[in-house]
Amino acid sequence: MASRLQRILQSLDLEERILNGAAFFSLIALFFPWLSGEWIGGETVNYTGLSFYTSFIGMIIFILLLFLLALTAVPLLGGPIVLKRRQKEITRLCVASQITILTLAALSVLTEVTYEFSRIEIRFGIYSTLVGSLIATLYSFLKWQEYHRQEAQDLFRHPEDPTPLSERQETISPLPPPPAPPPPLPPEEHHLRP
């Protein structure tokens, strides 16, 4: 089982591994403490991303991160292809950027709470989720750009030519000499009227 998982992970390119690793790290960071401290009345509290005021935002982030991971994991584990590559890259970019925006929204809510209660502090969980989502957004943008670059190169590749454009070696033959100039025209005669 471990060797199969290792083969699957090594079949991915580096950007894909980093993107999915960052999404997985953000998913785990949802369960880290986001907010902790002393509440009203001296009660010590410790809230994760799936509790407190940010629980609804945390659940949406959790679902979006699962979807982001499923776009890669389902086809690798033998399931159907969830989205075609053309739609996969832009969907991945939109989902990753939405996760980043929602994490920033949760951070702003937690910041407001810390202004109201002085003994409550923001913890490393929200920052870990934010860093992971920013990395996932960056690498999904890079994958989207790479797809468009590849699409532009495929536009100029002939379908009957199986060799990739980078491996093709063009043979440069000398150009034929230009044609000889035409012979000069005879002089024109102009008659003056008497």
Side-chain angles (χ1 to χ4, degrees):
M1 177 69 180
S3 64
R4 180 175 180 233
L5 182 64
Q6 187 176 10
R7 272 186 288 127
I8 288 173
L9 289 177
Q10 289 188 358
S11 69
L12 297 173
D13 59 341
L14 181 64
E15 290 90 4
E16 191 87 24
R17 280 188 248 166
I18 292 173
L19 188 148
N20 288 306
F24 185 71
F25 178 70
S26 291
L27 186 71
I28 298 300
L30 280 172
F31 299 102
F32 292 164
W34 279 23
L35 190 74
S36 65
E38 193 173 312
W39 198 248
I40 302 172
E43 178 186 355
T44 303
V45 293
N46 191 13
Y47 295 112
T48 65
L50 301 174
S51 59
F52 196 55
Y53 291 139
T54 58
S55 63
F56 186 68
I57 295 174
M59 282 297 214
I60 293 173
I61 291 172
F62 182 77
I63 291 168
L64 289 174
L65 284 169
L66 282 179
F67 177 72
L68 193 63
L69 289 170
L71 283 176
T72 304
V74 170
L76 285 178
L77 297 174
I81 295 175
V82 180
L83 291 172
K84 295 187 189 298
R85 185 160 188 244
R86 179 174 30 130
Q87 298 151 346
K88 179 181 177 180
E89 302 303 334
I90 190 67
T91 303
R92 196 185 267 174
L93 177 61
C94 291
V95 168
S97 57
Q98 185 66 38
I99 292 168
T100 304
I101 291 169
L102 288 173
T103 305
L104 286 172
L107 182 61
S108 69
V109 169
L110 295 179
T111 305
E112 180 67 28
V113 170
T114 59
Y115 287 148
E116 291 178 18
F117 304 104
S118 62
R119 295 185 181 188
I120 300 271
E121 297 177 351
I122 297 176
R123 296 294 179 184
F124 63 94
I126 184 86
Y127 299 121
S128 302
T129 304
L130 183 61
V131 167
S133 64
L134 284 172
I135 292 171
T137 303
L138 172 68
Y139 276 94
S140 61
F141 178 71
L142 291 175
K143 291 290 288 178
W144 179 67
Q145 276 190 328
E146 180 183 322
Y147 169 72
H148 278 292
R149 183 181 53 82
Q150 186 68 32
E151 193 176 57
Q153 285 180 349
D154 289 343
L155 182 66
F156 295 105
R157 189 173 298 141
H158 296 286
E160 63 271 354
D161 188 12
T163 59
L165 189 61
S166 60
E167 294 177 7
R168 243 189 277 159
Q169 294 182 356
E170 300 287 332
T171 57
I172 300 174
S173 59
L175 295 173
L185 297 173
E188 294 182 7
E189 291 184 28
H190 295 284
H191 298 291
L192 295 175
R193 291 188 182 174

